[in-house]
Amino acid sequence: MAEQKIAEVASFQVTLMIRRFDPETDSEPKWVDYDVEMFGTDRVLDALHKIKWEQDGSLTFRRSCAHGVCGSDAMRINGRNRLACKTLIKDLDISQPIYVEPIKGLPVEKDLIVDMNPFYQAYKDVNPFLIASDKPEKERLQSPEDRARYDDTTKCILCAACTTSCPVFWTDGQYFGPAAIVNAHRFIFDSRDEAAQVRIDILNDKEGVWRCRTTFNCTEACPRGIEVTKAIAEVKQAILRGKP
Amino acid sequence: MEASLATRPAGTLYRGKVGMWSWVLHRITGVAIFFFLLVHVLDTALVRVSPEAYNVVIESYKTPIIGLAELGLVGGILFHGLNGLRVIAVDFWSKGTKYQNLMFWAVMAITVIAVAGFAPLHLARVFGGH
Amino acid sequence: MANDNVTYHSYDVVIVGAGGAGMRAAIEAGPHAKVAVVSKLFPTRSHTGAAQGGMAAALANVEEDSWEWHTFDTVKGGDYLVDQDAAEILAKESVQAVIDLENMGLPFNRTPDGKIDQRRFGGHTRDHGKAPVRRSCYAADRTGHMILQTLYQNCVKLGIEFYNEFYVLDLAMNDGKPSAVVAYELATGDIHVFAAKSIVFATGGFGKIYKTTSNAHTLTGDGVGIIFRKGLPLEDMEFYQFHPTGLAGLGILLSEAARGEGGILRNASGERFMERYAPTIKDLAPRDMVARAMANEVREGRGGGPNKDYVFLDLTHLEPAVIDAKLPDITEFARTYLGVEPYTEPVPVFPTAHYAMGGIPTNIKAEVLSDNDTVVPGLYAAGECACVSVHGANRLGTNSLLDINVFGKRAGRYAVEYAKTAKQVPVPENAADEVLAMLEKVRKAKGKEKVAQLRKELQETMDKNAQVFRTEETLNEAFDKIQELRKRYENISIQDQGKRFNTDLLEAIELGFLLDLAEVTVITCRERRESRGAHLREDFPTRDDQKFMVHSMAYKTENTDKATGTNIKLGWKPVVITNYQPMERKY
Amino acid sequence: MVVIETPVQPRSRKAANWEKYGWLFMRVSGPLLVVLIFTHLIVNLVLGDGIKAIDFAFVAGKWADPFWQVWDMAMLWLAMIHGTNGMRTIVNDYTEKERVRVGLNYTLWIVCALLIVLGTLVIFTFDPCPAGAAAELLPSFCPAN
Ligand SMILES: Cc1cc2nc3c(=O)[nH]c(=O)nc-3n(C[C@H](O)[C@H](O)[C@H](O)COP(=O)(O)OP(=O)(O)OC[C@H]3O[C@@H](n4cnc5c(N)ncnc54)[C@H](O)[C@@H]3O)c2cc1C
Ligand code: HEM
Ligand code: SF4
Ligand code: F3S
Ligand code: FES
């Protein structure tokens, strides 16, 4: 079985349309197209590398791990937020050009690179760290059930795919955004944490959870498969209850 | 965030799935209903002016063009109301997020069936003359 | 100071690198001094986040265990090239290191009674090799991710200052003492000089000297390269670990936890071949042995696939629920990248370049050494870039996440201690000049060679000639190729002439470091004429304790060294032995 | 282990905000509106002669019954507040200048209040049989008939 699959790799021609912007020369972003020869196991990141390494060295994007765990290369691929390193070319319709753009709603710095600072700020604003006053000798105990309660939201890699897929975030960039809420969820529902109240207060804000319109773009975009909208709903309920 | 506005590329339309499009529709229908409601309260208030005044205005609701628009409005209200229930389910029911997709299609199906059932009845009355 | 785009900063402690080691140091140092962390990546994008399997500590939460056994396993796993004083510290402080992380909020998997759960991992045994032991503390198969996130969260809590997407390219020394690091700010193209009393290097590994690797694109060994260029030695560079289970053809890692949870390696005929190579602990033998066994199966024609060039990791006998609970990420990798369903199909795997045992030599206080025992005051190194050496000739799985925590913490503590009493070494007037010149040279170069092409050729020759099996001949071939590439490197050019986010320029600079480190690796491999741990010389297939029970120390020299025929001089450093005398390694 | 005593301070809270209540109101009023409006639509547009039958007499006939008076008032209040609050959300989303936002929101709530007052007055001060009106326009129970 497996042998077959790897043998079948054939090469094909694809066109990438990349939204490019060089702050030093351009006043407006523009679409530029590139043709590249790719293989079935290649990912969009490989195509970008191929362009950068063989055709145009000035093409700029972030990347590091190349297998979907570092969160560097969220971008808009064919109109949806994806990690370039997790998007296989063969899963896209290659009879059409593949459209690649920066994620939406954050200031574009150059080509596919955006200024992530507003995103990180929202993250920092929810107190994304354990707050506990006890000083245990050994580990704090936590039952597997309590541990499971927040497992999903510990998977976040801060790639911003969710926040920049959110139509509410696009409107004015002031909304905390799903990623910040996911990271608050991770602590609100951690039985060891004592400051759920503080985070509940923070997210019960004009720009907090109530701005979410349950559009599910975040859930659909999350490369870690986190049920983001569900996490947001759980935080909303925690706020209504006044406790986790 | 001034800088963002200056350098934000127009780009392609985001290809969200039913969650996003249902919200777009919900918003559009919400606004439409709101403006209709403003008008509707005012026209109904004419009953305080005189029966004649009210009847004159209400006659125009029975003209073909407005009659058709009413059909759209009823469809809009149906969608908005049912989708509103879907949104509420997502917010309060622990399985809501899991079934949101299915619920969306249920909303659509009920809306379409209801409008399809209502349309012949209503249009017959509107076009049927007095 | 010719350039007005140079900004000067002053700190007590500057930490280069925001991976696990760097941030652990920052948390230790942060509350007691003015600390900055300078990193070429946003902290949570560091490669510590890719680590999957777990972190070793003899907590004895699920079965009897002791730090002595752990020390022994580490020493034996490292084929006795481990400095045993350091290994003792690693094993002893492991318990506190795990507790620290838990207390900081790390969501470890739990036992039914709420304690940190532990699982098996290669080479970790009870009672000096009797049977596998559950020693690895884990958070599903994203332990590294959780460590990195937890450490970053605590840095946010403490308000640690970060300079992210700043590439450190030089260390400014004054009279043999470190005074500052010089960094290139990616966003603007400006140069920053960070003066500090103590400087900690925590820049991670350099897997990108190989083509097939589990390492990130950004792991180009800049920190190790900078130290080497300063004339300071690098230790044990011939020991590079190949992890047995990389996704075939891609190198993406499938954690050893897969075997810890019961996964089995099979060759094309379905045979559990590890039974032949390590009868007692089979698939859970240390990595060097498993990688070698796999390479051997393939070489002898028992590999699978159209080119018979890989073996299989079989998880099909595990419950899907177990896979989902304990190995969700790596099974997802197999699905995404190879289209293989691990519930029902065996996954094609082959060894992938994974971990540098060698690096910047330090003592147990994480102080960098300028020769076998002289300390460079105020200079520290920790994590994968450093060589303490606790991993010797072959690192045990889960010992690296432990290393970054134990020695990261030590680096932070001793760096602060030093900064409290030391004076700032004056920053040389021309501190930034070398970096400015280097950048200008690359930017202006008008040659014909492409950086990507050279890097590809380098990685291919390293994969072909300096991978699991090595001989004098293959190493010479690699060496000649590197010399050729060095010449061609003089003739490169880059396309991006801009200042902002010029990654084209940086890739060229990174290639320079890769070439340096590949060369050191090949030279040290060539000079170590024995087989030990991860270093397998087919022309010298046995361990030679008589001659080579020593660490190699490679120095960059001005003139060609007679013994190596290159600008690299080799010295040797004795191994610290406390309790465990070298024995033959059998599992 | 370093002990971290003082976490980063939470953001200073702005004046009490009503977002939570607004959000809850949308969700409480929604299901009520479904009942109210859907019934309203069925009674007015589906049953009997539907829209054809709607005229002064029809409305007057309904409002002679306190049940429908209360029904329509509830619908009016809930729909107006629900709709206005929804519009406020939309305005908040799409306006960039603070002054425009505040201006539009004032307008919305003033319009809302006016229409609620107007509508309520109409429902309760309504006389189904105004003196001097043509008898054929009035409901059958009027003395004029
Ligand atoms: C796929 C994978 C799985 C692994 N699994 C395990 C496991 O289960 N258990 C285990 O114990 N070990 C594991 N390891 C090994 C372990 O994860 C690493 O050795 C360890 O995380 C290294 O940490 P570090 O802090 O030294 O470096 P890194 O986390 O790599 O961090 C390096 C930092 O240095 C910065 N940096 C580099 N160069 C520069 C520069 N020039 N200027 C400024 N900053 C710079 C980077 O930005 C980064 O922040 C695994 C490794 C890999 C690749
Ligand atoms: C029929 C019953 C109705 C139900 C169940 C309902 C439900 C809802 C719900 C739950 C919301 C919140 C959506 C969200 O937070 O994402 C909402 C929003 C809204 N509703 Fe209704 N509603 C109904 C009728 C109306 C009416 C009659 C109007 C007009 C007067 C209206 C106008 C709006 C508007 C403008 C919004 C804001 C939309 C947005 O923010 O995108 N709704 N509705
Ligand atoms: S929640 Fe998912 S999409 Fe959002 S930042 Fe985290 S990993 Fe990325
Ligand atoms: S995309 Fe936005 S609207 Fe809510 S469900 Fe996700 S945060
Ligand atoms: S490169 Fe790390 S997530 Fe894609």
Side-chain angles (χ1 to χ4, degrees):
Chain A
M1 287 280 308
E3 304 163 32
Q4 285 292 314
K5 285 184 180 147
I6 293 187
E8 272 164 18
V9 186
S11 80
F12 41 77
Q13 183 89 19
V14 289
T15 305
L16 273 84
M17 290 284 278
I18 303 180
R19 191 82 176 161
R20 296 204 55 184
F21 173 70
D22 181 349
E24 286 164 88
T25 56
D26 304 341
S27 55
E28 279 287 307
K30 56 179 188 287
W31 289 104
V32 184
D33 60 311
Y34 300 91
D35 292 333
V36 276
E37 185 84 15
M38 302 305 301
F39 293 90
T41 51
D42 282 334
R43 300 153 270 163
V44 172
L45 179 64
D46 297 310
L48 294 175
H49 270 147
K50 214 158 178 185
I51 294 167
K52 182 175 181 67
W53 292 343
E54 290 167 15
Q55 300 182 26
D56 186 346
S58 68
L59 179 65
T60 309
F61 49 91
R62 291 191 177 100
R63 52 87 178 106
S64 183
C65 71
H67 65 287
V69 297
C70 76
S72 298
D73 57 347
M75 48 189 79
R76 198 138 58 104
I77 298 169
N78 280 352
R80 292 191 174 130
N81 282 4
R82 293 288 180 265
L83 294 179
C85 63
K86 263 193 116 173
T87 309
L88 270 74
I89 301 230
K90 71 172 169 54
D91 295 342
L92 302 170
D93 172 12
I94 53 162
S95 64
Q96 306 276 323
I98 298 170
Y99 286 81
V100 182
E101 309 157 71
I103 44 179
K104 199 170 151 151
L106 291 166
V108 176
E109 301 254 30
K110 181 176 175 183
D111 292 349
L112 301 171
I113 293 189
V114 298
D115 176 6
M116 297 282 286
N117 284 315
F119 173 81
Y120 295 138
Q121 193 54 51
Y123 165 78
K124 289 179 189 155
D125 282 345
V126 301
N127 280 319
F129 38 76
L130 190 81
I131 302 176
S133 56
D134 57 333
K135 300 202 172 57
E137 292 274 295
K138 290 200 72 183
E139 72 253 47
R140 294 190 183 89
L141 298 183
Q142 181 169 54
S143 71
E145 296 73 42
D146 284 345
R147 162 70 178 73
R149 184 68 193 82
Y150 62 99
D151 183 67
D152 201 32
T153 44
T154 63
K155 294 180 193 155
C156 176
I157 53 175
L158 297 176
C159 68
C162 55
T163 296
T164 59
S165 75
C166 176
V168 178
F169 182 76
W170 299 333
T171 60
D172 61 1
Q174 296 302 302
Y175 172 39
F176 269 88
I181 301 173
V182 159
N183 282 282
H185 178 283
R186 182 247 170 276
F187 289 101
I188 291 174
F189 294 96
D190 187 333
S191 58
R192 299 167 296 171
D193 187 83
E194 293 164 10
Q197 203 57 55
V198 177
R199 294 188 193 89
I200 282 177
D201 259 20
I202 292 170
L203 287 176
N204 183 15
D205 183 89
K206 189 154 84 39
E207 309 298 350
V209 288
W210 311 120
R211 279 199 79 178
C212 168
R213 308 250 76 80
T214 58
T215 67
F216 284 91
N217 278 7
C218 50
T219 304
E220 196 271 329
C222 179
R224 303 284 294 157
I226 299 171
E227 293 187 76
V228 183
T229 311
K230 186 171 188 199
I232 297 173
E234 287 173 357
V235 172
K236 285 173 182 165
Q237 277 164 42
I239 298 180
L240 293 177
R241 276 195 303 274
K243 60 177 200 294
Chain B
M1 302 212 43
E2 283 88 341
S4 73
L5 299 175
T7 54
R8 191 184 290 168
T12 60
L13 195 63
Y14 196 88
R15 288 176 53 226
K17 297 196 175 165
V18 301
M20 177 172 123
W21 296 114
S22 70
W23 161 76
V24 170
L25 254 183
H26 193 82
R27 193 157 259 202
I28 292 171
T29 51
V31 173
I33 303 166
F34 177 75
F35 284 109
F36 167 75
L37 181 61
L38 298 188
V39 176
H40 192 47
V41 172
L42 290 174
D43 67 52
T44 308
L46 287 177
V47 296
R48 270 305 265 136
V49 177
S50 74
E52 288 82 2
Y54 181 75
N55 283 358
V56 167
V57 172
I58 216 69
E59 268 321 294
S60 65
Y61 277 79
K62 300 170 187 169
T63 60
I65 293 182
I66 305 278
L68 274 171
E70 275 156 14
L71 204 57
L73 189 73
V74 167
I77 294 178
L78 274 167
F79 172 80
H80 185 97
L82 294 172
N83 190 57
L85 296 180
R86 168 179 160 274
V87 168
I88 294 169
V90 167
D91 282 323
F92 289 102
W93 177 39
S94 64
K95 295 211 172 65
T97 50
K98 192 171 153 202
Y99 294 116
Q100 63 95 8
N101 204 34
L102 197 72
M103 288 192 291
F104 171 78
W105 293 112
V107 167
M108 281 316 236
I110 299 174
T111 306
V112 168
I113 291 169
V115 170
F118 173 63
L121 207 63
H122 182 69
L123 293 181
R125 288 162 183 161
V126 170
F127 288 97
H130 297 269
Chain C
M1 295 178 203
N3 197 302
D4 21 9
N5 285 341
V6 179
T7 313
Y8 290 82
H9 310 259
S10 174
Y11 287 91
D12 293 327
V13 180
V14 162
I15 298 165
V16 184
M23 290 202 286
R24 189 63 191 84
I27 288 171
E28 204 59 22
H32 311 290
K34 193 170 175 237
V35 176
V37 182
V38 184
S39 171
K40 79 183 202 183
L41 298 173
F42 182 77
T44 58
R45 292 175 180 166
S46 303
H47 211 55
T48 294
Q52 303 163 353
M55 168 167 168
L59 296 182
N61 273 1
V62 287
E63 56 185 316
E64 191 190 352
D65 200 359
S66 83
W67 68 263
E68 275 111 341
W69 297 349
H70 187 181
T71 311
F72 172 77
D73 291 337
T74 303
V75 171
K76 182 179 172 193
D79 222 348
Y80 295 91
L81 199 71
V82 171
D83 284 337
Q84 297 184 10
D85 54 341
E88 271 172 36
I89 288 175
L90 184 80
K92 257 193 225 164
E93 294 184 7
S94 67
V95 175
Q96 191 55 43
V98 167
I99 302 294
D100 280 357
L101 287 171
E102 195 285 336
N103 288 177
M104 285 186 221
L106 197 138
F108 283 108
N109 277 41
R110 301 289 175 152
T111 62
D113 53 354
K115 292 196 251 170
I116 295 170
D117 196 12
Q118 300 186 273
R119 66 175 162 206
R120 296 194 176 113
F121 236 82
H124 290 281
T125 66
R126 54 183 289 105
D127 209 0
H128 309 99
K130 296 266 161 57
V133 74
R134 296 176 193 273
R135 186 179 289 146
S136 159
C137 310
Y138 66 102
D141 55 358
R142 49 174 189 282
T143 315
H145 163 77
M146 288 325 324
I147 289 180
L148 193 66
Q149 294 284 332
T150 303
L151 292 175
Y152 182 60
Q153 289 156 4
N154 281 274
C155 286
V156 171
K157 190 173 185 179
L158 289 172
I160 303 286
E161 260 186 90
F162 283 95
Y163 291 86
N164 297 325
E165 300 192 322
F166 278 59
Y167 285 60
V168 170
L169 297 179
D170 197 12
L171 168 67
M173 302 279 278
N174 195 347
D175 203 16
K177 288 184 186 163
S179 64
V181 291
V182 185
Y184 175 90
E185 184 183 2
L186 183 63
T188 59
D190 293 344
I191 301 295
H192 295 254
V193 175
F194 294 87
K197 295 171 188 162
S198 311
I199 294 171
V200 181
F201 271 65
T203 53
F206 46 87
K208 278 289 150 182
I209 59 174
Y210 291 97
K211 178 165 154 243
T212 311
T213 175
S214 64
N215 281 199
H217 283 286
T218 44
L219 283 178
T220 51
D222 318 353
V224 181
I226 290 168
I227 294 288
F228 181 64
R229 286 181 186 175
K230 289 285 132 182
L232 296 170
L234 299 182
E235 183 175 347
D236 284 347
M237 292 291 283
E238 62 273 39
F239 296 105
Y240 200 93
Q241 177 168 78
F242 298 89
H243 193 293
T245 51
L247 282 183
L250 292 168
I252 296 172
L253 196 76
L254 300 186
S255 168
E256 201 166 299
R259 281 170 288 136
E261 296 295 347
I264 292 171
L265 289 167
R266 299 189 189 278
N267 58 23
S269 58
E271 182 206 3
R272 183 178 192 179
F273 58 85
M274 280 314 295
E275 283 175 336
R276 272 186 277 123
Y277 298 87
T280 329
I281 58 176
K282 304 184 182 103
D283 298 278
L284 285 175
R287 289 176 180 171
D288 54 339
M289 298 183 129
V290 182
R292 197 174 307 157
M294 289 167 67
N296 203 49
E297 289 299 298
V298 164
R299 205 150 58 158
E300 293 179 358
R302 292 191 289 275
N307 304 321
K308 294 179 177 299
D309 58 356
Y310 51 75
V311 299
F312 297 97
L313 176 63
D314 184 2
L315 302 174
T316 55
H317 54 291
L318 301 182
E319 284 295 322
V322 171
I323 294 183
D324 289 348
K326 299 198 166 163
L327 308 166
D329 281 6
I330 61 171
T331 40
E332 159 102 7
F333 294 152
R335 285 181 201 118
T336 308
Y337 296 115
L338 290 185
V340 169
E341 174 48 65
Y343 291 160
T344 54
E345 298 168 79
V347 184
V349 289
F350 201 68
T352 179
H354 184 55
Y355 184 86
M357 269 75 72
I360 307 166
T362 68
N363 61 17
I364 53 172
K365 290 166 86 179
E367 292 168 314
V368 173
L369 304 175
S370 61
D371 56 33
N372 284 5
D373 35 40
T374 314
V375 164
V376 183
L379 190 58
Y380 301 80
E384 189 169 338
C385 70
C387 177
V388 197
S389 121
V390 287
H391 307 306
N394 171 57
R395 170 177 75 88
L396 289 189
T398 67
N399 262 357
S400 171
L401 290 179
L402 179 57
D403 176 11
I404 62 177
N405 278 286
V406 167
F407 289 96
K409 183 175 175 180
R410 284 181 159 247
R413 181 185 337 143
Y414 294 116
V416 157
E417 218 165 76
Y418 180 80
K420 281 214 172 116
T421 53
K423 276 219 175 63
Q424 171 68 46
V425 176
V427 180
E429 276 286 286
N430 55 0
D433 289 0
E434 228 166 283
V435 166
L436 283 166
M438 170 164 76
L439 290 166
E440 260 338 87
K441 185 176 158 203
V442 174
R443 198 197 304 270
K444 295 253 168 65
K446 287 280 167 290
K448 285 198 231 25
E449 299 286 352
K450 282 203 172 226
V451 170
Q453 180 61 28
L454 300 190
R455 185 177 48 217
K456 186 165 157 241
E457 290 181 31
L458 171 70
Q459 292 169 338
E460 277 170 0
T461 193
M462 290 300 284
D463 263 23
K464 176 157 166 269
N465 297 313
Q467 225 220 20
V468 178
F469 297 110
R470 303 144 177 197
T471 66
E472 187 93 22
E473 205 180 323
T474 63
L475 292 167
N476 282 333
E477 193 180 320
F479 176 75
D480 293 342
K481 183 74 192 182
I482 293 169
Q483 300 313 310
E484 175 207 318
L485 292 171
R486 274 198 179 291
K487 289 214 188 69
R488 288 165 64 192
Y489 183 65
E490 291 299 310
N491 194 27
I492 53 166
S493 67
I494 60 160
Q495 265 170 293
D496 195 338
Q497 295 295 314
K499 279 180 72 71
R500 306 191 57 197
F501 289 98
N502 193 337
T503 51
D504 202 18
L505 176 66
L506 282 163
E507 284 192 24
I509 306 264
E510 287 171 342
L511 175 61
F513 290 120
L514 288 177
L515 282 166
D516 282 5
L517 298 180
E519 183 171 8
V520 183
T521 303
V522 168
I523 296 296
T524 49
C525 285
R526 197 166 66 180
E527 296 304 315
R528 184 176 284 274
R529 294 186 175 82
E530 65 156 353
S531 291
R532 181 189 295 271
H535 175 65
L536 178 72
R537 284 285 297 262
E538 287 185 282
D539 39 359
F540 299 95
T542 50
R543 200 171 87 187
D544 180 355
D545 286 348
Q546 221 69 54
K547 257 182 145 161
F548 288 108
M549 190 62 195
V550 278
H551 300 290
S552 72
M553 298 285 272
Y555 300 79
K556 184 181 161 83
T557 55
E558 286 298 314
N559 306 315
T560 309
D561 179 74
K562 276 208 211 76
T564 65
T566 65
N567 281 19
I568 297 170
K569 187 179 81 178
L570 274 195
W572 304 95
K573 179 180 151 194
V575 175
V576 181
I577 295 176
T578 56
N579 287 327
Y580 305 106
Q581 288 308 314
M583 305 186 295
E584 199 199 336
R585 215 165 134 240
K586 272 204 282 213
Y587 286 92
Chain D
M1 162 79 195
V2 275
V3 179
I4 296 157
E5 303 286 359
T6 48
V8 176
Q9 287 306 303
R11 302 212 238 173
S12 59
R13 278 289 303 285
K14 283 159 242 141
N17 82 83
W18 299 93
E19 290 302 322
K20 177 167 83 180
Y21 304 102
W23 183 89
L24 255 183
F25 176 80
M26 295 305 271
R27 267 134 260 259
V28 172
S29 59
L32 291 173
L33 280 167
V34 168
V35 176
L36 293 167
I37 295 181
F38 286 16
T39 310
H40 175 78
L41 290 176
I42 289 170
V43 169
N44 286 18
L45 295 182
V46 181
L47 301 180
D49 264 342
I51 191 153
K52 241 168 115 181
I54 295 183
D55 56 11
F56 182 86
F58 178 85
V59 177
K62 268 179 100 182
W63 284 350
D65 184 346
F67 175 80
W68 287 118
Q69 278 185 315
V70 172
W71 187 280
D72 282 6
M73 185 196 66
M75 197 161 63
L76 170 74
W77 281 64
L78 287 174
M80 278 312 299
I81 300 174
H82 176 105
T84 307
N85 193 43
M87 290 299 289
R88 184 189 64 97
T89 310
I90 296 174
V91 164
N92 287 350
D93 275 358
Y94 296 121
T95 50
E96 267 161 29
K97 293 208 179 63
E98 181 66 9
R99 284 182 48 196
V100 178
R101 190 177 70 77
V102 172
L104 281 172
N105 281 342
Y106 267 108
T107 316
L108 276 173
W109 288 113
I110 289 169
V111 168
C112 174
L114 283 177
L115 286 185
I116 287 181
V117 171
L118 173 71
T120 311
L121 283 176
V122 168
I123 295 173
F124 287 101
T125 65
F126 171 68
D127 176 359
C129 310
E136 72 275 16
L137 300 178
L138 301 180
S140 53
F141 55 76
C142 281
N145 282 323

